[in-house]
């Protein structure tokens, strides 16, 4: 997004001593996160973190609206974990309901 590939960012951060690397926000939610984490893992193995946002923001009057529902965020959890995320949270637009829905998916996987 800012001209540095996920692989290059991961390499540079690991070389600088980072204990974990990952991604947040992005271009609209959890859908691109697995590809980003996979590229990071291939370039610089180690712990990975992901904080996707709850969709692409839009402005309505003085409010910023994120359209991705908690269920939509939860649908992205399994692929993110499969890509190697060790820590998962939510960024812009995420609410406690989004985090709960994501946590429910993780809890079900642990049974």
């Amino acid at each position: 997004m800012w001209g540095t590939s996920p692989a290059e960012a991961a390499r540079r951060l690991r070389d600088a001593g980072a204990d974990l690397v990952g991604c947040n926000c992005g271009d609209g939610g959890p859908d691109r996160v697995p590809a980003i984490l996979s590229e990071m893992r291939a370039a610089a193995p180690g712990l990975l973190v992901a904080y996707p946002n709850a969709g692409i923001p839009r402005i309505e009057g003085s409010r910023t609206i994120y359209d991705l529902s908690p269920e939509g965020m939860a649908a992205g959890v399994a692929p993110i974990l499969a890509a190697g995320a060790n820590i998962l949270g939510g960024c812009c637009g995420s609410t406690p309901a989004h985090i709960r829905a994501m946590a429910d998916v993780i809890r079900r996987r642990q049974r």
Side-chain angles (χ1 to χ4, degrees):
M1 182 171 180
W2 296 104
T4 301
S5 72
E8 182 63 21
R11 275 192 295 275
R12 287 182 183 193
L13 290 165
R14 295 269 192 231
D15 289 349
D19 292 322
L20 60 114
V21 298
C23 60
N24 72 307
C25 260
D27 62 357
D31 292 342
R32 290 225 347 101
V33 172
I36 293 167
L37 294 183
S38 294
E39 189 176 333
M40 288 181 147
R41 178 166 303 292
L47 297 175
L48 293 171
V49 61
Y51 291 96
N53 55 326
I56 296 173
R58 61 184 167 79
I59 306 300
E60 285 188 5
S62 62
R63 295 181 48 214
T64 303
I65 308 294
Y66 291 84
D67 289 324
L68 190 61
S69 68
E71 296 77 22
M73 286 285 277
V77 168
I80 291 171
L81 295 177
N86 302 100
I87 299 171
L88 179 58
C91 200
C92 299
S94 299
T95 66
H98 288 87
I99 301 303
R100 260 190 308 280
M102 293 166 54
D104 288 344
V105 172
I106 294 168
R107 282 188 200 100
R108 284 193 304 271
R109 288 175 56 102
Q110 293 174 340
R111 292 183 187 155

